[in-house]
Amino acid sequence: MDWGTELWDQYDIIEKHTQSGLELVEKYVKFVKERTEIEQNYAKQLRNLSKKYNLKRSSKDEPECRLSSYQSFLDIVNEMNDYAGQRELIAENLMMNICIDLTKYLQELKQERKTYLMEAKKAQQSLESTYKQLDNSKKRFEREWREAERAAQYAEKTDQDINATKADVEKAKQQAHMRAHVAEECKNDYAAQLQKYNKEQNQFYFNDMPLIFNKLQDLDERRVQKLAQGYILFSDTEKHVMPIIGKCLEGITKAGTNVNEKNDSMVVIEQNKSGFERPGDLEFEDYSQGINRASSDSSLGTPKGPMDLLGKNRSKNFWLFSKKSKKFTPERTMPTVTEDFAHLPPEQRRKRLQQKLEEICKELQKEVDQSEALGKMKDVYEKNPQMGDPASLASQINQTSQNIERLRAELNKYETWLAEAGGRGDTLRYKTHTFNNNGAHDMHSPDGAHSDESTPDASQAIYAEFDDDFEDEEVTAPIGKCTAMYNFPGASEGTISMQEGEVLAVVEEDKGDGWTRVRRNNGDEGYIPTSYVTINLNK
């Protein structure tokens, strides 16, 4: 069944129906746009939420970040950020596949509908014009036929009038004959116009308009089909990202299952244990026996009680429960924060120094690699001047050399402090793989010590056990002398102390690692920082 057969006389209904269909498409596009805005705002709010609760770079080094509960929370924040990305993808696909596509299709339908309606209007105007010609022909035929009848009646009357002359009778007959001829012509024209109109009317109602109506029906059915596809896309757009959204939600679930409360407790212990011994028992002070209190006090090696632990701050709470004082040093005031982390308890100091050393070593390796790369580039420029000017690299090479010297000085300084910190507990002897000017590792420079609890990073190969036994080595002849410009404690394994102005014999020259091997007159031998002395070698 089609509109051209069943709705041949319902032009107004068809016009109204097709217009209503186009308006429904517009309404759906508007609906999807508003849904898209909701998704975009939702995604934006989720991203802002993730950004708000995500740790900044400076906060990622906080001790709490090692806890599984903190890591899981960060994982959840990251998963929500990915989830927001999927909501944005939904909004983008809704806009592209439905709103933009349907809007473009809607414009095509409007233009096509307009063309069909104009064709119908043109056909209708043509039929109306033919009908108007038919009506005019009919009216003219009617008018001329009446005039012919009146002329015939007048001629008959004149012929019967005895007073009328023969000329009058002849004239009246001729007039009647003429009128009859004109009426006959009008009759023939009317018949022709009627035939023409009936033919056009038949063409209009049985061919032209049914064809146009069927085209409008096809247009409307295509509109409905396209709209139905848009309805399905509305669902499928979200279905397509559901697997990824499911993975985000699975990631959140996994983050929850990854929380390990026992491990978090161990991390808290590892990060915060001070290394101090617990206070010993207080001695009984028998005043009835006249015991000198001062001597009793001096015989005690541990704090005597909460008030003694507090020292001068007697008005404050007992240190163990204090909210302000996180770390406690017996029988002395809290020290200020220092570069060598001496303000920290032994365990914490060793860990911080170890961490600082690893950071310096990584930075030093980076600078050494940069220096090696610049050296190679300079060699290439010298051999192939057309590729570049070697002099242009001078400032970079100089700056890199300065950075390397600065970092080596810092490395020596922190290794000395680490050795001091290691002296408070079990000390593990080790040596450092320092760096020569070619970026390779040198194994000859002993440095400091670190706690047994600190595990070296195998990927960096920074620390290893110190194997050399200096006492068993053969005595080598000195190759020069050096004078100390600064004091050096020589607390690290394999190093030797020296005082400012002290003269020592140079046994082994600096091999590029920043250390020189020297010997005292009494035979003591060890390494000292090259930058701490002025050296005069034998010629």
Side-chain angles (χ1 to χ4, degrees), residues 204-435:
F204 179 82
Y205 284 110
F206 287 91
N207 295 98
D208 295 344
M209 292 308 295
L211 181 62
I212 293 173
F213 286 171
N214 288 340
K215 288 180 180 179
L216 288 171
Q217 179 183 359
D218 179 66
L219 178 148
D220 193 66
E221 289 176 355
R222 283 187 281 114
R223 172 195 63 81
V224 173
Q225 184 181 21
K226 187 72 173 180
L227 191 58
Q229 293 174 357
Y231 292 162
I232 296 172
L233 279 175
F234 188 77
S235 172
D236 288 348
T237 300
E238 189 162 354
K239 283 182 179 179
H240 290 159
V241 300
M242 285 303 291
I244 304 178
I245 291 178
K247 289 182 179 179
C248 293
L249 298 177
E250 288 175 4
I252 294 176
T253 302
K254 185 178 179 181
T257 57
N258 286 342
V259 175
N260 188 325
E261 64 278 4
K262 296 295 183 182
N263 184 67
D264 284 2
S265 297
M266 295 302 297
V267 170
V268 172
I269 293 173
E270 183 67 21
Q271 288 179 341
N272 298 285
K273 63 181 179 180
S274 66
F276 290 128
E277 296 293 334
R278 300 183 186 183
D281 294 339
L282 299 179
E283 295 182 358
F284 176 75
E285 301 181 21
D286 192 352
Y287 291 96
S288 63
Q289 300 298 325
I291 296 177
N292 188 318
R293 206 173 160 190
S295 62
S296 175
D297 287 350
S298 64
S299 64
L300 274 157
T302 58
K304 298 171 180 56
M307 298 309 294
D308 292 321
L309 291 174
L310 288 170
K312 296 181 180 180
N313 300 324
R314 294 176 179 272
S315 61
K316 297 182 180 179
N317 295 332
F318 179 40
W319 68 272
L320 185 61
F321 305 102
S322 171
K323 294 180 180 179
K324 295 182 179 180
S325 179
K326 295 183 178 179
K327 297 179 178 66
F328 172 74
T329 304
E331 297 187 353
R332 66 176 180 179
T333 58
M334 295 300 294
T336 56
V337 176
T338 57
E339 187 182 7
D340 63 352
F341 305 112
H343 62 287
L344 298 176
E347 286 289 337
Q348 301 305 315
R349 185 188 183 201
R350 281 195 290 273
K351 290 176 183 177
R352 291 298 297 276
L353 288 172
Q354 184 75 31
Q355 181 182 2
K356 188 69 176 178
L357 270 173
E358 292 176 357
E359 293 174 358
I360 294 174
C361 285
K362 290 179 182 178
E363 189 174 353
L364 179 58
Q365 181 63 56
K366 183 178 178 181
E367 292 293 336
V368 169
D369 292 342
Q370 176 72 7
S371 176
E372 182 180 359
L374 289 172
K376 291 181 180 179
M377 188 179 297
K378 183 179 179 182
D379 291 341
V380 172
Y381 286 177
E382 288 175 348
K383 294 177 181 179
N384 303 281
Q386 69 275 11
M387 297 184 66
D389 183 12
S392 64
L393 302 174
S395 60
Q396 298 182 47
I397 293 175
N398 183 48
Q399 181 62 44
T400 305
S401 299
Q402 292 179 7
N403 291 341
I404 291 175
E405 290 301 321
R406 175 180 55 80
L407 290 170
R408 281 175 174 166
E410 287 189 11
L411 186 67
N412 295 336
K413 179 171 61 175
Y414 277 95
E415 285 171 342
T416 301
W417 287 336
L418 181 60
E420 295 175 359
R424 298 184 183 180
D426 296 333
T427 302
L428 174 66
R429 294 184 300 171
Y430 72 94
K431 60 185 176 181
T432 306
H433 296 268
T434 54
F435 312 94

Side-chain angles (χ1 to χ4, degrees), residues 141 143-152 172-186:
F141 169 61
R143 184 175 61 252
E144 292 297 333
W145 182 254
R146 288 176 184 175
E147 289 293 333
E149 284 185 340
R150 281 197 296 269
K173 286 182 178 180
Q174 288 179 357
Q175 184 70 24
H177 179 72
M178 183 189 67
R179 287 292 179 182
H181 180 70
V182 171
E184 187 65 26
E185 287 181 351
C186 290

